[in-house]
Amino acid sequence: MSRSFAELLPTPLTAESLARLQPLHRAEDLLLLLERWVERGWLRALDKAFVAFLHERDPHGDPLVLLAAALTSHQLGHGHVCLDLFETLKEPDFALSLPPEGDVQTGAMLLPSQLLEALDGDAWCKALQASPLVEHAGQSLADAASRPLVLSDRRLYLRRYWAYERRIDSALRQRLAATQVTSADLPARLDSLFGSPAANAPIDWQKLACALATRGAFSIVTGGPGTGKTTTVVRLLALLQAPAVEAGTPLRIRLAAPTGKAAARLTESISLQVKSLEVDDKVRQKIPSDVTTVHRLLGSRPGTRHFRHHAGNRLPLDVLVVDEASMIDLEMMANLLDALPAHARLVLLGDKDQLASVEAGAVLGDLCRDAEAGWYTPQTREWLEHVSGESLAASELQQDLDGSHPLAQQVVMLRHSRRFGEGSGIGQLSRLVNRQQSDAARALLAAGSHADLFALSLKGEQDRAFERLALEGRGAQAKGYRHYLEVLREQRPAAEAGLEDPCWGAWAGKVLEAFEAFQVLCAVRKGPWGVEGLNERITRALFGHKLIDSDQHWYEGRPVLMTRNDYGLGLMNGDIGIALKLPERDGLTPKYVLRVAFARNDGQGGIRFVLPSRLNDVETVYAMTVHKSQGSEFSHTALVLPEALNPVLTKELIYTGITRAKHWFSLVEPRAGVFEEAVQRKVKRLSGLMLGLK
């Protein structure tokens, strides 16, 4: 039985007016329908405004063009650079935010699948090709630059993102064509850093990565947690810098990361690695350990999309290393490549299997699509074996015999995790999830054969088993939040110790370290199983068990997450602090005031105390999104899935959540089946970046 629009639209309108709506034939009717989608949270107001702008430019245009524009704009919010018209017609409902987070409205609604069920992909493409709003890629039109949409084969782009993709493609082609001169004694230098290959030893992929990066203007080192990406890059910098220092012309090296938190973590890690590096002191002194954000490196201009460094004002450097490159979006990568001097080397580090950037694009994932298979040419294999002494005969890598994979010649995947060995349940689970083997992953969780894995199936929203896990953890070692609050209470310095006494900083450091023993991760922000709902729930539970003395705003023990960079305070987006009571003397009477303790994360150690009144961009962080957790590690991690499948739930999100755990991982499921469904779904960030760059 067919439904009328009166039954389908949530906003009450007369049946007579709705019966006459024809969204695919009348633009005004389509705009009305889009407005209803916005009201429901299925579409962004920004997407609707963009369509209204296009309609003003072409009042008599085909509604099919406007609908495609609405979906393309909305897909950008989900990280897609473009809209694949034919793929959209296979699963139209995934082109919108269905269901939106926290959608509590009931009743039916006209879905994209209902709207597009009779539409043919070729007819949709023809409508776009005929529109004055759309440039057909490959055609030279006088007014092409003024057309807001670009159609390339079956993919529809907003012009700006089409331009970003083309800029990246062009820059990488140039860099892949350029060759760097390698020193004649490269084999000896590699052996001094990594040692000579031992008989029957596994392939030293770190050594191969360093070798490959010396010969190109662009290279990628990818690998999962614990595979040694940081170790590799420090040795690479030593490999590049040593001959330059000996020649009296040291290289200008800069290190960057997408976020302040990632930059701080890398600074700390590299500082430790450089200290232990067995190289000449003169070389060690020329290897930087300070890591900045990409935005700061480029010189962001507040209130604009522009940077101080660009194609007309290049960065003053010779080598740039960017860590956590999976978090770099299409726009930022285009700007970064524009600002690089032609002679400079660019090295990207990251885990190709992690979540991509929040903004549009999955640049690292696109560029590392063939990393696991290798696809080295015989010439590349021969050169690698010659300079490294390693044999690739048993590597089972694919060979590029016709030169069709130029990018692969500068990509190395690190394959041996020193954190998750073969006996690690976390390691096995992450690998099964990565391969989308959902049944095997479920069997591993259900078996209970690994002490580092735990699955908790809840019996409804009121099931107190979640509170018990959040507060108590899983036994003596896999802690919950009670642990850090006990450290706070039991190890507090004596009251007579003044604030200048270093014991307060040491205590704050122990509390922060104890907090990192456990972290709840969520897939979504809204709803009972999102960040907002769980932070409230855990706060109430801690207050109910008298572990905190208040559940309102600021209280001792409150953990907070920075949500924006604050360069004045030296705090970065993603930094975690804890509110603590510290002594302060008012005349002769000692009293306690709240200050928030943050670890300095600069490689030097120490604690920074900040008044709560100076922190404007913070939120409680008993629970955080998996996206926010990227670049962090916790001893015990609990991943809480929502009750319903959501567009963000993919195997990449599950994999990232699992690999944030160093020692113990708990999966919390309010409803059965969501885990399996999520593992079966891959992030399909649509782009055309790799069409000519295999």
Side-chain angles (χ1 to χ4, degrees), residues 597-644:
F598 291 89
R600 288 192 179 276
N601 289 329
D602 56 3
Q604 307 302 312
I607 299 294
R608 177 184 290 107
F609 292 107
V610 182
L611 285 168
S613 58
R614 299 189 66 188
L615 297 172
N616 299 315
D617 300 301
V618 293
E619 61 184 28
T620 302
V621 70
Y622 294 115
M624 70 166 69
T625 62
V626 175
H627 271 98
K628 278 288 187 185
S629 74
Q630 285 184 269
S632 298
E633 298 167 357
F634 309 93
S635 296
H636 177 201
T637 296
L639 175 61
V640 183
L641 299 182
E643 289 182 294

Side-chain angles (χ1 to χ4, degrees), residues 180-201:
Q180 301 279 350
V181 178
T182 57
S183 58
D185 59 350
L186 179 60
R189 292 183 183 275
L190 282 166
D191 284 348
S192 71
L193 289 166
F194 293 92
S196 301
N200 300 318

Side-chain angles (χ1 to χ4, degrees), residues 52-63:
F53 163 74
L54 296 180
H55 181 51
E56 287 178 7
R57 289 193 57 171
D58 185 23
H60 305 293
D62 194 328

Side-chain angles (χ1 to χ4, degrees), residues 109-304:
M109 175 74 174
L110 182 64
L111 299 170
S113 54
Q114 296 169 294
L115 186 64
L116 300 175
E117 59 184 354
L119 187 61
D120 175 71
D122 290 324
W124 207 1
C125 284
K126 286 178 181 175
L128 289 162
Q129 290 169 5
S131 172
L133 299 172
V134 182
E135 176 193 353
H136 196 197
Q139 292 183 352
S140 153
L141 299 170
D143 65 340
S146 66
R147 299 191 177 198
L149 302 169
V150 179
L151 181 66
S152 177
D153 191 22
R154 49 194 277 173
R155 300 182 312 281
L156 184 66
Y157 294 80
L158 270 63
R159 172 166 294 282
R160 182 151 51 89
Y161 288 87
W162 165 258
Y164 293 148
E165 202 171 84
R166 295 305 94 209
R167 280 159 55 190
I168 294 172
D169 182 272
S170 174
L172 291 184
R173 287 178 188 276
Q174 292 176 31
R175 291 189 166 275
L176 291 172
T179 54
Q180 301 279 350
V181 178
T182 57
S183 58
D185 59 350
L186 179 60
R189 292 183 183 275
L190 282 166
D191 284 348
S192 71
L193 289 166
F194 293 92
S196 301
N200 300 318
I203 296 170
D204 191 338
W205 294 102
Q206 293 185 18
K207 191 176 185 180
L208 294 179
C210 284
L212 211 59
T214 63
R215 71 171 197 169
F218 175 73
S219 53
I220 299 175
V221 181
T222 185
T227 52
K229 294 187 290 294
T230 305
T231 303
T232 303
V233 78
V234 169
R235 293 180 182 182
L236 170 62
L237 296 179
L239 196 64
L240 295 172
Q241 191 67 284
V245 169
E246 291 165 10
T249 55
L251 299 170
R252 298 167 298 172
I253 300 173
R254 296 296 303 273
L255 310 173
T259 66
K261 185 177 184 180
R265 295 278 181 184
L266 188 61
T267 296
E268 190 172 21
S269 179
I270 283 188
S271 297
L272 296 172
Q273 293 274 354
V274 171
K275 287 177 184 175
S276 61
L277 198 60
E278 295 182 7
V279 294
D280 187 273
D281 281 343
K282 291 180 180 177
V283 176
R284 184 182 288 107
Q285 290 168 10
K286 294 296 182 181
I287 299 175
S289 56
D290 290 335
V291 186
T292 186
T293 64
V294 177
H295 279 84
R296 207 168 204 184
L297 176 76
L298 293 176
S300 60
R301 293 178 172 174
T304 76

Side-chain angles (χ1 to χ4, degrees), residues 341-665:
H343 75 276
R345 300 175 192 263
L346 174 62
V347 182
L348 300 182
L349 302 176
D351 185 348
K352 68 178 180 64
D353 297 315
Q354 274 193 193
L355 282 167
S357 59
V358 176
E359 303 298 328
V363 179
L364 189 73
D366 283 343
L367 299 180
C368 293
R369 199 170 294 171
D370 297 322
E372 195 156 358
W375 289 109
Y376 298 133
T377 64
Q379 294 82 4
T380 298
R381 289 172 70 110
E382 183 182 349
W383 183 85
L384 280 172
E385 291 180 337
H386 169 68
V387 299
S388 69
E390 301 285 333
S391 173
L392 294 174
S395 65
E396 299 183 353
L397 297 180
Q398 298 288 330
Q399 289 203 59
D400 178 11
L401 299 175
D402 58 2
S404 59
H405 293 75
L407 179 61
Q409 313 314 305
Q410 290 303 123
V411 179
V412 175
M413 180 175 168
L414 307 181
R415 299 162 191 266
H416 302 304
S417 176
R418 290 155 179 80
R419 186 189 308 170
F420 304 133
E422 289 300 318
S424 163
I426 294 174
Q428 290 184 42
L429 183 64
S430 65
R431 287 189 286 273
L432 290 171
V433 167
N434 219 2
R435 297 171 193 150
Q436 296 187 282
Q437 296 174 335
S438 56
D439 292 341
R442 170 59 68 190
L444 180 66
L445 286 165
S449 53
H450 291 81
D452 58 349
L453 291 179
F454 177 67
L456 174 62
S457 297
L458 300 178
K459 298 179 177 64
E461 194 174 320
Q462 302 307 314
D463 192 334
R464 296 301 172 194
F466 172 75
E467 276 86 346
R468 288 194 295 274
L469 175 68
L471 271 61
E472 311 299 338
R474 292 170 39 220
Q477 292 181 307
K479 310 289 189 184
Y481 286 131
R482 178 187 291 274
H483 170 62
Y484 92 93
L485 291 166
E486 287 178 344
V487 170
L488 184 158
R489 185 175 61 251
E490 295 170 3
Q491 299 190 30
R492 185 193 303 275
E496 55 269 19
L499 186 57
E500 67 283 354
D501 195 312
C503 65
W504 293 104
W507 170 63
K510 291 176 182 175
V511 176
L512 284 164
E513 185 181 354
F515 182 77
E516 289 191 354
F518 180 62
Q519 182 64 57
V520 174
L521 300 180
C522 305
V524 298
R525 288 197 58 82
K526 300 182 184 297
W529 304 109
V531 167
E532 296 173 3
L534 289 182
N535 273 321
E536 290 179 8
R537 184 168 177 171
I538 294 169
T539 302
R540 287 197 305 270
L542 292 169
F543 182 65
H545 284 75
K546 297 182 169 49
L547 293 169
I548 56 177
D549 55 18
S550 173
D551 59 356
Q552 302 298 314
H553 202 49
W554 285 108
Y555 52 86
E556 186 173 45
R558 181 192 178 196
V560 293
L561 177 79
M562 292 291 297
T563 57
R564 291 180 63 184
N565 292 344
D566 190 325
Y567 295 109
L569 295 174
L571 298 173
M572 301 293 119
N573 184 0
D575 282 350
I576 292 176
I578 296 178
L580 300 172
K581 287 181 180 177
L582 299 177
E584 186 175 87
R585 289 195 176 274
D586 183 10
L588 298 174
T589 308
K591 66 174 185 177
Y592 286 89
V593 296
L594 276 181
R595 282 185 169 82
V596 185
F598 291 89
R600 288 192 179 276
N601 289 329
D602 56 3
Q604 307 302 312
I607 299 294
R608 177 184 290 107
F609 292 107
V610 182
L611 285 168
S613 58
R614 299 189 66 188
L615 297 172
N616 299 315
D617 300 301
V618 293
E619 61 184 28
T620 302
V621 70
Y622 294 115
M624 70 166 69
T625 62
V626 175
H627 271 98
K628 278 288 187 185
S629 74
Q630 285 184 269
S632 298
E633 298 167 357
F634 309 93
S635 296
H636 177 201
T637 296
L639 175 61
V640 183
L641 299 182
E643 289 182 294
L645 197 61
N646 186 284
V648 304
L649 274 176
T650 60
K651 69 102 170 175
E652 286 84 1
L653 182 136
I654 304 293
Y655 169 85
T656 304
I658 294 169
T659 54
R660 297 312 90 201
K662 288 192 287 187
H663 304 299
W664 299 277
F665 172 75

Side-chain angles (χ1 to χ4, degrees), residues 3-164:
R3 297 178 183 267
S4 69
F5 277 95
E7 296 173 298
L8 296 167
L9 294 172
T11 302
L13 295 171
T14 63
E16 291 78 13
S17 64
L18 291 171
R20 296 191 296 270
L21 288 180
Q22 296 181 299
L24 296 186
H25 301 285
R26 291 204 299 252
E28 291 76 12
D29 293 359
L30 176 66
L31 290 170
L32 179 61
L33 178 61
L34 297 184
E35 187 63 44
R36 302 298 174 263
W37 283 354
V38 171
E39 289 177 3
R40 191 67 180 265
W42 293 0
L43 197 71
R44 301 177 302 174
L46 175 66
D47 309 322
K48 163 66 169 50
F50 177 58
V51 172
F53 163 74
L54 296 180
H55 181 51
E56 287 178 7
R57 289 193 57 171
D58 185 23
H60 305 293
D62 194 328
L64 285 174
V65 175
L66 298 181
L67 178 61
L71 298 180
T72 303
S73 175
H74 190 70
Q75 288 295 83
L76 284 172
H78 290 301
H80 299 286
V81 176
C82 54
L83 181 78
D84 187 311
L85 300 168
F86 285 79
E87 288 297 316
T88 298
L89 289 176
K90 291 179 185 176
E91 292 185 296
D93 295 340
F94 280 102
L96 296 183
S97 296
L98 298 175
E101 293 182 28
D103 184 9
V104 295
Q105 296 190 51
T106 58
M109 175 74 174
L110 182 64
L111 299 170
S113 54
Q114 296 169 294
L115 186 64
L116 300 175
E117 59 184 354
L119 187 61
D120 175 71
D122 290 324
W124 207 1
C125 284
K126 286 178 181 175
L128 289 162
Q129 290 169 5
S131 172
L133 299 172
V134 182
E135 176 193 353
H136 196 197
Q139 292 183 352
S140 153
L141 299 170
D143 65 340
S146 66
R147 299 191 177 198
L149 302 169
V150 179
L151 181 66
S152 177
D153 191 22
R154 49 194 277 173
R155 300 182 312 281
L156 184 66
Y157 294 80
L158 270 63
R159 172 166 294 282
R160 182 151 51 89
Y161 288 87
W162 165 258
Y164 293 148

